[in-house]
Amino acid sequence: AIRMTQSPSSFSASTGDRVTITCRASQGISSYLAWYQQKPGKAPKLLIYAASTLQSGVPSRFSGSGSGTDFTLTISCLQSEDFATYYCQQYYSYLPTFGGGTKVEIK
Amino acid sequence: QVQLVESGGGVVQPGGSLRLSCAASGFTFSSYGMHWVRQAPGKGLEWVAFIRYDGSNKYYADSVKGRFTISRDNSKNTLYLQMNSLRAEDTAVYYCAKDPGYCSSTSCYVSWYFDLWGRGTLVTVSS
């Protein structure tokens, strides 16, 4: 199975900050990568697919980049509603796997 | 309203069985593949199973293969997960999720990511 490693596992940031989360695949996955946001007690929400395509309705402050093994999710100007846990997920193989998650907390 | 609503969770003893349901509304359920994804308490996400739009193909994670069965009833817009021989490590919130894959005039494509999620149902395996 393809292993997905996210870093950092958690960090603190302030409203208005630009934040970047990294996801690394154990083998090349082209651009078959999605990002999700999950708030406590809620279901995950799709933010980005195909590494950089914004899902309909997702604010443009979210962006994704990368291909092959290294990917990033960037939030250009952190808003209060963005404090959550973020997961990457590869779908290069038919057995999709997730990263361990990155929790973004309020500083 | 486009939504997925899971039900059927609860407390079950190790070795027991449970069937989860997921009711879909607001979209053409019979046109899309569907997944189950789970999340153990305080842990990350784990994909569990997938079924094609017409039920013709099914895929499972190794951790549940041979114990869980995914199925669907397109006439009822409902997805199911039959869980047998349950173990403590199966304790999790179980989410159903829609695959955004599409069908052309000649072929159907599975995307293997998840564009719509239900709110989840908690399964607790404990004696």
Side-chain angles (χ1 to χ4, degrees):
Chain A
I2 299 175
R3 294 185 309 277
M4 306 301 293
T5 304
Q6 287 183 235
S7 60
S9 57
S10 67
F11 66 94
S12 299
S14 301
T15 304
D17 285 352
R18 178 183 179 90
V19 302
T20 298
I21 297 169
T22 297
C23 178
R24 175 164 290 176
S26 61
Q27 66 184 73
I29 60 170
S30 185
S31 296
Y32 294 98
L33 187 98
W35 288 96
Y36 301 87
Q37 176 193 66
Q38 186 178 34
K39 297 180 180 179
K42 302 293 186 183
K45 172 187 173 183
L46 177 65
L47 298 176
I48 287 169
Y49 61 95
S52 61
T53 302
L54 208 62
Q55 173 71 349
S56 175
V58 174
S60 58
R61 63 181 180 272
F62 291 93
S63 64
S65 65
S67 67
T69 59
D70 295 314
F71 302 85
T72 58
L73 172 70
T74 299
I75 309 172
S76 60
C77 183
L78 200 64
Q79 301 299 301
S80 57
E81 60 266 33
D82 301 335
F83 291 98
T85 299
Y86 294 85
Y87 293 94
C88 63
Q89 176 236 326
Q90 67 79 22
Y91 53 101
Y92 179 79
S93 78
Y94 77 92
L95 298 178
T97 49
F98 293 87
T102 296
K103 187 175 184 179
V104 180
E105 300 175 295
I106 302 174
K107 183 181 286 184
Chain B
Q1 183 180 1
V2 178
Q3 64 176 1
L4 299 168
V5 179
E6 301 92 338
S7 61
V11 180
V12 61
Q13 292 187 339
S17 298
L18 211 56
R19 188 177 84 154
L20 306 183
S21 298
C22 169
S25 59
F27 65 98
T28 307
F29 178 72
S30 58
S31 295
Y32 293 93
M34 296 293 295
H35 302 263
W36 287 98
V37 178
R38 68 184 180 182
Q39 186 171 34
K43 302 298 184 182
L45 299 163
E46 179 188 18
W47 172 80
V48 173
F50 169 78
I51 185 168
R52 285 178 62 93
Y53 71 102
D54 59 359
S56 60
N57 291 92
K58 305 172 185 181
Y59 299 87
Y60 298 93
D62 287 345
S63 57
V64 307
K65 198 174 296 183
R67 301 187 299 122
F68 289 12
T69 301
I70 189 172
S71 62
R72 64 191 298 160
D73 185 337
N74 285 345
S75 69
K76 296 182 178 179
N77 289 343
T78 303
L79 176 72
Y80 302 100
L81 185 68
Q82 177 66 43
M83 303 185 295
N84 298 331
S85 303
L86 282 161
R87 307 166 180 167
E89 55 264 36
D90 296 318
T91 294
V93 174
Y94 284 74
Y95 297 101
C96 63
K98 173 181 162 288
D99 189 288
Y102 64 97
C103 290
S104 68
S105 59
T106 56
S107 301
C108 287
Y109 301 90
V110 182
S111 294
W112 292 101
Y113 62 94
F114 321 104
D115 67 344
L116 177 68
W117 297 64
R119 297 183 66 177
T121 187
L122 177 62
V123 173
T124 302
V125 184
S126 174
S127 55

